[in-house]
């Protein structure tokens, strides 16, 4: 028995190991993968520092570090990723959003002491913003420092409007025409100089 018992234990261990290997092989052949616990994909990348900005994200801060330099002595830019959403500050404008405020600071500066940050807004009819949602129009422009990329210098803001038949707008968006015009200061790019407004139709 003193000889058979160790042999029996070894045979049992080999059998269990063979079974485990077979199970792993079956999983791999079935295309099943298990994400590591706490993986970035499972948790999302919002707030993560990364070496590049993937599709679907923007960034709100940059740093110069060795994180992405492969162990070399030089530094490179890393980005703090953000999921675009209402009110998020972004270092760049984002497709699908407009922005209504620009601030100058060091958070987004890759070269020089300052760079602009943009406050993202979900476009809604009547929202005054620094630009116009593609496919929409606007019916009033104003001048304010809220949208300025140069400190203290006013910039143009636009009251975004969803195009509908009969709306008096500063321009007819692509695919629309207009049935009447009027003289107004609502759309003037030069203070005190009248401009034209259009009653749009589709």
């Amino acid at each position: 028995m003193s000889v058979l018992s160790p042999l029996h234990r070894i045979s049992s261990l080999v059998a269990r190991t063979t079974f485990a290997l077979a199970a792993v092989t079956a999983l791999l052949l079935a295309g099943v993968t298990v994400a590591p616990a706490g993986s970035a994909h499972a948790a999302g990348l919002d707030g993560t520092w990364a070496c590049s900005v993937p599709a679907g994200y923007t960034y709100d801060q940059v740093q110069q570090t060795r994180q992405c330099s492969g162990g070399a002595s030089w530094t490179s830019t890393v980005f703090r990723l953000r999921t675009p959403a209402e009110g998020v500050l972004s270092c760049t404008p984002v497709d699908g959003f407009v922005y209504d405020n620009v601030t100058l600071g060091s958070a987004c500066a890759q070269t020089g002491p300052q760079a602009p940050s943009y406050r993202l807004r979900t476009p809604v009819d009547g929202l005054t913003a620094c630009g116009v949602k593609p496919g929409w129009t606007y019916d009033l422009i104003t001048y304010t420092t809220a949208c300025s990329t140069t400190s203290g210098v006013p910039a143009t803001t636009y009251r975004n409007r969803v195009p509908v038949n009969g709306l008096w707008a500063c321009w007819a968006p692509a695919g629309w025409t207009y049935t009447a015009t009027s003289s107004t200061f609502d759309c003037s790019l030069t203070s005190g100089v009248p401009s034209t407004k259009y009653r749009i139709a589709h």
Side-chain angles (χ1 to χ4, degrees), residues 54-202:
Y57 288 89
T58 185
Y59 60 99
D60 67 352
Q61 289 186 41
V62 296
Q63 288 184 358
Q64 299 297 321
T65 74
R66 296 183 184 179
Q67 176 178 332
C68 303
S69 63
S73 60
W74 45 266
T75 62
S76 60
T77 304
V78 293
F79 308 86
R80 193 175 77 164
L81 304 181
R82 294 302 311 272
T83 303
E86 172 75 15
V88 165
L89 291 179
S90 171
C91 294
T92 64
V94 176
D95 288 346
F97 293 84
V98 292
Y99 57 93
D100 67 349
N101 189 265
V102 178
T103 56
L104 296 173
S106 60
C108 297
Q110 296 188 51
T111 58
Q114 289 188 325
S117 295
Y118 306 87
R119 185 171 65 189
L120 302 182
R121 297 296 306 274
T122 302
V124 294
D125 189 48
L127 173 70
T128 296
C130 304
V132 181
K133 179 181 177 179
W136 287 20
T137 186
Y138 59 99
D139 65 353
L140 180 69
I141 63 174
T142 53
Y143 295 92
T144 173
T145 57
C147 295
S148 178
T149 56
T150 304
S151 181
V153 178
T156 308
T157 59
Y158 306 84
R159 187 165 66 188
N160 279 242
R161 298 301 307 272
V162 176
V164 293
N165 283 317
L167 175 70
W168 285 95
C170 296
W171 60 280
W176 290 71
T177 187
Y178 54 95
T179 58
T181 63
S182 66
S183 181
T184 176
F185 292 102
D186 288 352
C187 306
S188 297
L189 293 172
T190 303
S191 179
V193 178
S195 59
T196 302
K197 219 167 189 181
Y198 306 87
R199 188 168 65 191
I200 63 174
H202 190 266

